Amino acid sequence: MKVILKDLSKHFGEVKAVDDLDLEIDDGEFVALLGPSGCGKTTILLMIAGIYKPTKGLIYFDERVVNNILPKDRKIGMVFQSYALYPHMTVFSNIVFPLRLMKTAKEEMKERARKVAQLVRIEELLDRKPGQLSGGQQQRVALCRALVKEPEILLLDEPLSNLDARLRIMMRSELKRLQKDLGITTIFVTHDQLEALTMADRVAVVNLGCLQQFSGSDELYNHPKNLFVAGFIGSPPINFIDVSLEKSDGRFLLKSRDLEIELPKEIGSKAENNSTSSGVVLGIRPEHILINEKEGIETEVYVVEPLGREILVSAKLGDSMIKVLTSPPFKADMGDKVRLSFKLDKIMLFDKKTEKSLLLDKD
Amino acid sequence: MSKRALLSLVVFLLPGLIFTFIFFIIPAVMTAIMGFTGMDYRFQWNFIGLGNYIRMAKDFLIGKILLNTTVYVIGTLAVFNVTFGLILAILTSSIEEKAGIFFRGVWLLPRFTPPVVYAVIWLWILSPTENGLLNTLRLLLGLETMDWITRHPWGVIIVTNGFIGASMGMVIFAAAIKSIPQDYRWAARVDGASWLQEIGHIILPMIRWPLLFITAYQTLSLLTSYEYILLITQGGPFYGTTVWSLYAYDVAFSSYAGTFAFGYGAALATVLVVIGIVASMIYWRIFKFKEMMEEPKIEIT
Amino acid sequence: MVRGEKREVDFLKIGIYAFLFLASLPIFLGFLWLFIGSVSKSLTYGIIPEGLSLRNWRFLWKIPYPGYPDVWLTLLNTLFLAFGVMIIVVAVSTMAGYVISRMKFPGRSFLLASTLILHAFPAITLLIGLYYVLRVLNLLDSVMGVILAKAGLFIPFAIWIMKGFFDGVSWDMEMSALIDGASRFQVFRKIMLPMVGPGIAGISIFAFITGWSEFIFVITFIRKPSAWTLTSYVNSIIGDFRFVDFGLLAAISLFYVIPVLLFFIFTQKYLMQITVGGLKGGR
């Protein structure tokens, strides 16, 4: 089932939790709503579920407007961050609760419960109470309850955030596989970029109630539309340096007090065409900086953090700190001088005022 | 909101509204109106304007009763409801948890004991004959028996009410102390604080708020409660321990104080009702009750 | 050095225990005396029994003094009062508490504010007005009158408590049930009610004991012996034989207080919760 949000807004008094949001989710797609806490992503999910009424705008399931349809009639399943298992019911009763409300025949109920339980491998837990289960097991039960009524849309609110790190990684791949096997349109909310990037077909980055970018992980990582997306995606985060774009003798130069970089022509002219002023923010990911000790910008090593496979070097450039990801071996100590050079085909440029990328074609 | 939703809302709320209206709002309004009548056992609404309030101003007992009320409220509050409640809370929080819960239970027991039974126990402890517990002790020490209730009516009133009143503060303070993160207390201990310093520098400052709350709340409840006085000293000897609320009760319901002067009694009670309303309003402001009013998160019915 | 300090702490603990024990002595001895006094021929030193006797319990099978009602009828009245208050309070406050806690409707904040203000209001000051209302409703001298008045004044407090318990149920739980296909009413019945079980238990016990122990309303609104509760019974014996028949007083008091003691021992946790919950001001 397709889910389309049109001009969707939700205001709580003066606060605009969601503001004029447009989103089109394809049938069978696995979509993540990603954003910092309080950005409005859960509000969007609850509007799709029918718990909140939109202040303005429409929600379509395929061609049908569902704004006035009660949650129970929307054919959705939902897993909550807290799992919301009913503590006074056994696992079995929890799973078949939706069926019981639909007055399903007993035999069919048992059969369907068994089926979904098998799907996530919790058959042996059916007689227990939620309180006796581990976090991972509870999560599977909640998933079963959401799936048992064979929903057309599956909603997941921070489904992995209450699991420990090891389990989270395991569930990530399991959920992804399950979603593809079942083919149910699935929307999940998360604040964890890694979860969003690894699991979802497309990621909708939301901030302050507004959609920032909606695209696949590669696009999101390599071609962010604006400063927020560039800064939010990526760990360790991207380096931002305030510079100005200057043109002299047909050469494009990025200049600040501490550095001067010459841009390739096509990048420079594109940026110049798109920019509204000369104020530019240069973005460069830590892995796109080379540390070689012969040429480049001179900096001083502030701290070196070995991460195992890679080494994270913080280098001081004037008043700012540049993070560089490099491969071992790296031989320099705190206080040593090192030279950095940026991979020019990987740099990003943003307009300081509008915060929009200067390197994307205008749409 | 759909019609069905509205109906279920009404069904859910109506019983509460009716009860509150008949047994809360109407009696409050009645009491206020009756205060302007000379109503007696014949229950006639003969309005006499401010007559009762003028009578109050001239009542030769009022001065004594005001004084009694002050002694009763401040005495019980200062000695038991706050101070002793706090001591109990701190002490029961300083020993093993199980023992602490046991002692708190012991002190909470009188609050749930029927007042008449509680009074019987104290009448035995304070009995003027040699059957009484205290007089037994005096005899053992070679002293004569004493009529405790007549000789020390205020001591008796404050102690008997205090044994009830201390438990409220104790429970609230103990809960507040328990909610202080252990880290603070460990940090204080690591920094070399003694038990008393820990109380003075960590516990007391962190339970300021409950302290203020209990003081305010218990002032009001002491001001309006009189059942243990009625049971143990009956307000005597000769109005010696009659407090405002008991006086209102006596005037209205006891034949020995007159002839069921409901009008005058209602006027006396109205003063307390007004104090109660004002106090409730003050709580509302000081204790930020408004912040407890969270908005519902589901928008369908 | 370390050992010395350790010993000091132990002294402190012993001191605390001793203090708590001594301070609680009147309560211990009082209840102990009820037991001993009720089954002893006589007591020396106030509390040391001399000879066992059931004479003090004679009120169970015969009327101890002329004019007193049958104690079993009185017990029945007391049970009626306690259960009556309990049932009304629990039913009314659970429904209202849920609506006020979870539903959105016009006038909600007014209702919430009124509950907040009334729950702390000293209801006892309304006694005279209540007397008049009960008289008009022809409910004086009947246990029913006390039940209704007691319940009515208790309800704002109970609603406030129940609201607190409903507030404590996570919204996820309710949202989830709605998505699972339940109506608001089904959510209330199948999910919310079981979830606030401890609150309902607490309010039930609290209301039961409040009704069971009620003093002022009973002695003010009920005069005729056939409608007496145990409070009136004990109160009359106190009035008639203040310091004389301590044996009878101990026995009837014990008879009266035993259910409270049992409740207290087995349900203290709930009672404590309600006591704290009712006064959760300014958090």
Side-chain angles (χ1 to χ4, degrees), chain A residues 72 82 86-88 145 149, chain C residues 172 176-177 179-180 190 195:
Chain A
K72 60 177 178 155
S82 62
Y86 314 126
H88 55 286
R145 191 177 62 191
K149 55 180 180 178
Chain C
D172 283 4
S176 166
I179 291 170
D180 285 346
K190 298 195 167 162
M195 299 277 294

Side-chain angles (χ1 to χ4, degrees), chain A residues 46 49 51-52 71-72 76-78 80-89 94 97-98 101 103 145 149, chain C residues 104 170-184 186-187 189-196:
Chain A
L46 289 175
I51 300 289
Y52 283 157
K72 60 177 178 155
I76 47 177
M78 182 158 173
F80 288 83
Q81 182 174 12
S82 62
Y83 313 137
L85 297 179
Y86 314 126
H88 55 286
M89 299 182 186
N94 261 287
F97 184 67
L101 291 169
K103 307 219 160 38
R145 191 177 62 191
K149 55 180 180 178
Chain C
K104 210 171 196 176
S170 92
W171 280 96
D172 283 4
M173 211 64 87
E174 200 168 355
M175 292 178 183
S176 166
L178 284 171
I179 291 170
D180 285 346
S183 67
R184 244 6 238 278
Q186 281 172 318
V187 174
R189 210 161 45 92
K190 298 195 167 162
I191 305 298
M192 298 304 273
L193 275 189
M195 299 277 294
V196 296

Side-chain angles (χ1 to χ4, degrees), chain B residues 202-251:
Chain B
I202 309 291
I203 294 181
L204 286 185
M206 295 198 90
I207 62 169
R208 265 188 325 230
W209 205 230
L211 265 172
L212 182 63
F213 180 74
I214 282 291
T215 309
Y217 192 88
Q218 298 265 312
T219 305
L220 188 58
S221 69
L222 279 171
L223 208 53
T224 54
S225 74
Y226 51 89
E227 64 250 57
Y228 301 104
I229 306 183
L230 181 62
L231 274 163
I232 291 169
T233 67
Q234 293 161 325
F238 189 71
Y239 293 103
T241 52
T242 299
V243 295
W244 191 283
S245 52
L246 178 57
Y247 188 55
Y249 179 83
D250 273 344
V251 165

Side-chain angles (χ1 to χ4, degrees), chain A residues 35-83:
Chain A
S37 60
C39 73
K41 54 196 192 299
T42 298
T43 309
I44 300 170
L45 203 69
L46 289 175
M47 281 194 281
I48 298 173
I51 300 289
Y52 283 157
K53 284 181 181 160
T55 311
K56 187 166 109 351
L58 296 172
I59 301 171
Y60 294 88
F61 287 0
D62 283 343
E63 272 76 49
R64 198 162 58 124
V65 175
V66 295
N67 281 41
N68 289 320
I69 292 177
L70 287 175
K72 60 177 178 155
D73 302 322
R74 291 193 182 195
K75 297 198 174 128
I76 47 177
M78 182 158 173
V79 175
F80 288 83
Q81 182 174 12
S82 62
Y83 313 137

Side-chain angles (χ1 to χ4, degrees), chain C residues 115 127 134-135 171:
Chain C
T115 315
L127 195 71
L134 288 184
R135 194 178 161 279
W171 280 96

Side-chain angles (χ1 to χ4, degrees), chain B residues 45 96 168 209 232 300, chain C residues 17 108 132 184 242 279 282:
Chain B
W45 292 92
E96 282 76 14
M168 185 66 77
W209 205 230
I232 291 169
I300 47 172
Chain C
Y17 274 110
R108 174 178 178 271
Y132 190 86
R184 244 6 238 278
R242 203 166 161 77
L279 293 171

